[in-house]
Amino acid sequence: MRGIPMQLALTSGAELKSWVFLIAGNIFLIVLAVRAIGHYAKREWGELLGHFMAGVVVAGFVFAPDASKNMLTAIWNKVAGS
């Protein structure tokens, strides 16, 4: 095995974690979209609005996790007074 480096770096799993969160978040958004279409078809406007708001929150956590964390930290600091 000459010429092949024997050093294999262990990863922290951050890439896998971000990939799993992205896939899970997208599946959740698809489920919300399908249910929202059903509420739209039945003219259930309150439930449709609730699904839209939940989708915005989930999309924020999936596609901008650092910004979401910073926002929640800032809100907690305001509430807790730290």
Side-chain angles (χ1 to χ4, degrees):
M1 293 205 157
R2 191 172 208 192
I4 298 175
M6 296 303 292
Q7 297 175 352
L8 298 175
L10 295 175
T11 62
S12 65
E15 295 86 9
L16 178 63
K17 177 182 155 188
S18 66
W19 183 77
V20 168
F21 282 162
L22 184 66
I23 297 299
N26 284 333
I27 289 172
F28 190 70
L29 287 174
I30 289 169
V31 169
L32 282 176
V34 169
R35 292 190 60 174
I37 290 170
H39 290 305
Y40 177 75
K42 293 179 184 177
R43 305 280 192 242
E44 297 171 342
W45 304 117
E47 288 85 357
L48 178 63
L49 181 63
H51 274 83
F52 178 73
M53 291 176 9
V56 168
V57 170
V58 170
F61 283 117
V62 170
F63 298 114
D66 293 331
S68 298
K69 179 185 170 219
N70 292 338
M71 179 189 65
L72 290 174
T73 303
I75 290 171
W76 179 254
N77 288 338
K78 293 280 185 186
V79 170
S82 353

